[in-house]
Amino acid sequence: MQEPYRVQVSAEDRRRADLVRQVVSVRLGVPAEAITDARRLAPPALRARRVALYLAYVSLNWQMERVGHAFGVNRQTAARACRRIEDARDEANVNALLEQMEDAIRAVCDAAPASGLPEVA
């Protein structure tokens, strides 16, 4: 069996990719772990991974290579996924769902880090 594609990823990129995975997991009802499974994915998990790759590209404004690194796939796989999801945006319900997820991801990632929170025991 072939070794999975792995490249060193910064902690910040890992956190942001995890956020994207969690948003997709909740909205599409697919376990987050299934999105990054190295084995052959079932159709719902494959769709969820494609959506996650696309959202990282669009919402985080990452280049394809960075998206691939963060999700453990090569650049070509990320690009192919993005093209498929972009094509699916022609359907109004798909476009609305993607916009909701994009907005949620941007709201979290674009906000300044929280400070001044009280200590909680």
Side-chain angles (χ1 to χ4, degrees):
M1 187 167 145
Q2 197 172 358
E3 285 290 317
Y5 180 79
R6 296 286 179 240
V7 172
Q8 189 74 11
V9 177
S10 73
E12 182 64 19
D13 281 3
R14 191 176 324 282
R15 281 192 295 273
R16 289 174 183 254
D18 286 344
L19 170 68
V20 171
R21 267 191 291 276
Q22 292 299 324
V23 168
V24 171
S25 172
V26 169
R27 290 298 284 133
L28 299 186
V30 173
E33 305 78 39
I35 294 171
T36 55
D37 197 334
R39 297 173 293 178
R40 186 171 183 88
L41 300 178
L46 180 58
R47 277 190 298 276
R49 181 170 72 180
R50 286 177 178 153
V51 168
L53 292 166
Y54 176 78
L55 289 173
Y57 174 66
V58 172
S59 301
L60 302 177
N61 200 28
W62 284 356
Q63 294 180 350
M64 286 299 166
E65 189 169 10
R66 189 174 180 186
V67 171
H69 290 172
F71 285 85
V73 299
N74 63 44
R75 185 191 61 76
Q76 190 61 36
T77 299
R80 191 175 314 116
C82 289
R83 282 192 303 272
R84 292 188 74 152
I85 299 304
E86 186 65 42
D87 289 346
R89 284 197 96 144
D90 292 340
E91 295 183 37
N93 61 334
V94 172
N95 189 53
L97 176 62
L98 291 170
E99 284 180 355
Q100 289 173 359
M101 290 188 282
E102 285 175 45
D103 291 345
I105 293 164
R106 285 187 180 126
V108 172
C109 291
D110 292 348
S115 62
L117 295 175
E119 284 295 319
V120 178

